[in-house]
């Protein structure tokens, strides 16, 4: 089982927009651009919303059937670990093994020694195709990397083998993710993490490092764009090197988490993909829910009143909603519109404040980020919310599809060809 060159993680909180999401990739296909849809959803999201992995599988199946999609597609058990993997085994065929919690937990001394010995041959000023400056590899660096990451990769190996035993090796895609940690990984670290993944015999198709800069939820990239561009290119070069030297799967590629809406780095990403003829997996999650709210707001009066209700309640429960996302949102509370102000808005005002169009004077990133984490409130509304999604399916679907196609598929994948 292989993963196509381009794949797109189209997570969907309420499992309602599968068809709309797929229609955006269908449109790309009509232009000769093949992108594999991957419906990703984490244990955390399932728990907050009250869905189960089988719901995601059903959503994918329904969409594929309705649109007669004949390409590959996957259901991703996103950010799973030893404690929750079993709930996902039946419904998923893509597993994102999250071992970030084990990073920096010291590895066994003997394992570190063996690793250092095995990879000692790379101690040098290492030339890698596609990287201008040689990577400086020293014994101390290899030892430090092994000490920091070996245990995490071993954990990933354990989960991988557990899934393989249950489902059969070769019947699913494996991603290793290390993005939910404080420190970005350098290209040298990436190199030896990939070596360790090969040693564990994990047939990883995607690797999600933590990149330099802030990948906050639902808003643009914050950081040094040229620094990111350099790091991204070096990571691509390291992946190619690792495929050849360590015997990792030929289709191994990078995966970018919280990849939606990072408009200012899409151009360097597309250029780097073109330069290296490389593939990419990009994950989005929460933003389809924001398009649902935009669609509802535009469907006055009942849709708009639900959208307003979510915001007003989110203001009241600010701390509770933002807490779990503290490190990936940045809200200036002074810039949040008050409940009274929002109550006076028409649908267009609500949609313009929320839609991620930086050229629009009404766009408010603080408003957008608060709503991004407010899906719990909609989940608590139960069928009142999901019935409204059904009632206004047309306008919502239009927003969902346009967001994926125009703001993501075009700048990233179309430009990478
Ligand atoms: Zn992630």
């Amino acid at each position: 089982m292989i993963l196509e060159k381009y794949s797109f993680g189209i997570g969907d909180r309420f499992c309602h927009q599968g068809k709309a999401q797929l229609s955006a990739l269908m449109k790309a296909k009509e232009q000769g651009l093949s992108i594999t849809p991957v419906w990703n959803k984490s244990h955390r999201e399932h728990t907050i919303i009250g869905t189960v992995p089988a719901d995601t599988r059903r959503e994918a199946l329904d969409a594929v059937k309705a649109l007669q999609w004949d390409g590959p597609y996957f259901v991703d058990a996103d950010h799973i670990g030893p404690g929750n993997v079993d709930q996902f085994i039946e419904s998923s065929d893509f597993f994102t093994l999250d071992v970030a919690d084990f990073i920096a937990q010291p590895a066994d001394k003997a394992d570190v020694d063996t690793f250092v010995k095995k990879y000692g041959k790379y101690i040098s000023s290492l030339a890698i195709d596609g990287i201008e400056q040689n990577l400086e590899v020293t014994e101390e660096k290899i030892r430090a990397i092994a000490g920091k990451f070996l245990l995490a990769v071993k954990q990933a190996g354990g989960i991988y083998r557990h899934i393989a035993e249950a489902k059969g090796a070769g019947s699913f895609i494996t991603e290793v993710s290390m993005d939910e940690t404080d420190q970005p990984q350098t290209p040298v670290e990436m190199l030896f993490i990939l070596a360790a993944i090969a040693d564990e015999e994990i047939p990883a198709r995607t690797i999600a490092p933590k990149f330099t800069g802030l990948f906050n939820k639902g808003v643009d990239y914050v950081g040094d764009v040229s620094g990111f561009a350099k790091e991204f290119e070096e990571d691509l070069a390291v992946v190619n090197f690792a495929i050849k030297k360590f015997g990792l799967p030929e289709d191994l590629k990078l995966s970018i988490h919280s990849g939606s809406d990072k408009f200012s780095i899409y151009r360097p990403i597309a250029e780097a993909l073109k330069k290296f003829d490389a593939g990419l997996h990009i994950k989005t999650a929460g933003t389809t829910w924001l398009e649902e709210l935009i669609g509802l707001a535009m469907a006055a009066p009942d849709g708009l009143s639900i959208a307003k209700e979510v915001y007003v309640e989110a203001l009241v429960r600010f701390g509770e909603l933002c807490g779990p996302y503290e490190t990936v949102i940045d809200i200036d509370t002074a810039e949040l519109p008050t409940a009274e102000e929002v109550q006076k808005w028409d649908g267009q005002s609500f949609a313009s404040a929320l839609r991620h169009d930086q050229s629009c004077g009404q766009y408010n990133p603080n408003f957008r980020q608060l709503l991004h984490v407010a899906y719990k409130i909609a989940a608590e509304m139960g069928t009142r919310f999901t019935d409204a999604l059904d009632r206004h399916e047309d306008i919502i679907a239009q927003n969902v599809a346009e967001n994926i196609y125009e703001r993501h598929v075009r700048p990233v994948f179309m430009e990478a060809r």
Side-chain angles (χ1 to χ4, degrees):
M1 181 172 278
I2 65 150
L3 186 61
E4 250 187 335
K5 186 173 185 182
Y6 301 138
S7 47
F8 198 43
I10 43 176
D12 178 5
R13 305 255 196 246
F14 295 93
C15 299
H16 261 63
Q17 306 307 329
K19 277 181 275 182
Q21 295 172 318
L22 189 58
S23 75
L25 301 187
M26 202 82 155
K27 195 168 163 188
K29 203 172 194 180
E30 284 158 13
Q31 327 262 333
L33 175 63
S34 192
I35 304 170
T36 298
V38 181
W39 278 274
N40 55 283
K41 201 160 178 183
S42 64
H43 179 66
R44 179 174 56 194
E45 281 177 86
H46 278 302
T47 311
I48 292 177
I49 291 166
T51 47
V52 292
D55 296 324
T56 318
R57 167 62 61 183
R58 195 172 314 115
E59 175 190 22
L61 268 177
D62 287 349
V64 162
K65 218 164 150 192
L67 273 69
Q68 296 179 299
W69 175 262
D70 57 6
Y73 66 96
F74 295 94
V75 173
D76 176 7
D78 201 6
H79 283 289
I80 47 109
N84 50 37
V85 56
D86 285 332
Q87 307 162 40
F88 288 87
I89 296 231
E90 201 183 316
S91 301
S92 299
D93 49 11
F94 188 125
F95 292 82
T96 298
L97 316 180
D98 181 349
V99 289
D101 284 351
F102 296 94
I103 293 175
Q105 287 195 29
D108 190 85
K109 167 99 174 51
D111 290 343
V112 172
D113 288 340
T114 311
F115 188 87
V116 172
K117 203 166 165 209
K118 181 168 179 188
Y119 293 100
K121 61 183 173 194
Y122 292 106
I123 296 172
S124 64
S125 183
L126 185 64
I128 287 185
D129 262 358
I131 301 185
E132 245 168 66
Q133 260 186 343
N134 288 359
L135 299 182
E136 297 309 319
V137 179
T138 60
E139 184 181 328
E140 294 69 47
K141 266 192 198 170
I142 300 180
R143 188 169 292 281
I145 294 167
K148 189 171 174 188
F149 294 101
L150 267 190
L151 188 76
V153 176
K154 277 200 182 304
Q155 278 291 332
I159 312 170
Y160 166 73
R161 286 185 291 275
H162 178 79
I163 302 164
E165 217 163 273
K167 287 190 85 81
S171 66
F172 60 95
I173 298 289
T174 306
E175 167 161 324
V176 178
S177 80
M178 302 193 165
D179 62 306
E180 295 199 352
T181 179
D182 303 332
Q183 289 289 319
Q185 290 108 34
T186 65
V188 179
E189 284 176 328
M190 256 289 268
L191 177 66
F192 291 105
I193 289 168
L194 289 172
I197 288 174
D199 286 348
E200 275 295 304
E201 296 181 35
I202 304 170
R205 255 63 205 207
T206 46
I207 171 106
K210 181 176 174 70
F211 295 101
T212 298
L214 292 178
F215 285 71
N216 283 345
K217 298 281 179 189
V219 291
D220 204 348
Y221 176 79
V222 178
D224 169 13
V225 172
S226 61
F228 169 85
K230 179 169 177 281
E231 179 187 78
F232 187 76
E233 283 202 7
E234 291 181 352
D235 283 345
L236 290 178
V238 162
V239 166
N240 281 345
F241 183 88
I243 290 170
K244 283 193 211 98
K245 298 288 180 184
F246 309 142
L248 286 161
E250 287 279 338
D251 52 336
L252 171 66
K253 56 185 181 176
L254 291 176
S255 170
I256 302 181
H257 286 209
S258 296
S260 57
D261 298 86
K262 302 298 172 281
F263 304 140
S264 59
I265 53 171
Y266 285 170
R267 182 182 289 270
I269 287 174
E271 278 169 3
L273 295 179
K274 202 185 237 174
K275 181 171 160 189
F276 285 83
D277 190 21
L280 182 71
H281 183 61
I282 187 159
K283 275 194 204 193
T284 68
T287 46
T288 280
W289 133 255
L290 293 177
E291 297 303 324
E292 287 174 332
L293 279 182
I294 289 171
L296 285 176
M298 289 164 79
D302 67 303
L304 178 60
S305 81
I306 286 184
K308 284 180 177 176
E309 193 180 323
V310 171
Y311 180 71
V312 170
E313 180 78 9
L315 278 179
V316 178
R317 291 164 63 181
F318 183 91
E320 172 205 341
L321 298 172
C322 296
Y325 290 92
E326 206 172 28
T327 57
V328 284
I329 51 176
D330 183 15
I331 297 176
D332 181 353
T333 49
E335 295 295 324
L336 285 171
T338 64
E340 293 71 34
E341 281 173 80
V342 171
Q343 291 294 9
K344 283 184 223 143
W345 286 357
D346 61 8
Q348 203 55 52
S349 309
F350 195 104
S352 305
L354 182 52
R355 187 179 286 122
H356 196 177
D357 174 0
Q358 293 169 6
S359 68
C360 169
Q362 282 157 291
Y363 166 59
N364 183 335
N366 304 291
F367 182 69
R368 181 173 168 87
Q369 290 181 86
L370 178 54
L371 282 171
H372 189 282
V373 298
Y375 61 96
K376 189 177 181 183
I377 292 167
E380 287 165 3
M381 289 178 175
T383 52
R384 199 155 68 83
F385 180 73
T386 49
D387 285 351
L389 293 183
D390 291 337
R391 227 168 23 249
H392 302 297
E393 187 183 338
D394 288 356
I395 182 138
I396 291 171
Q398 203 181 313
N399 281 286
V400 168
E402 190 181 297
N403 174 51
I404 291 178
Y405 186 77
E406 295 295 337
R407 294 199 277 277
H408 296 88
V409 167
R410 269 171 67 132
V412 180
F413 295 113
M414 280 293 181
E415 295 298 321
R417 289 197 294 175

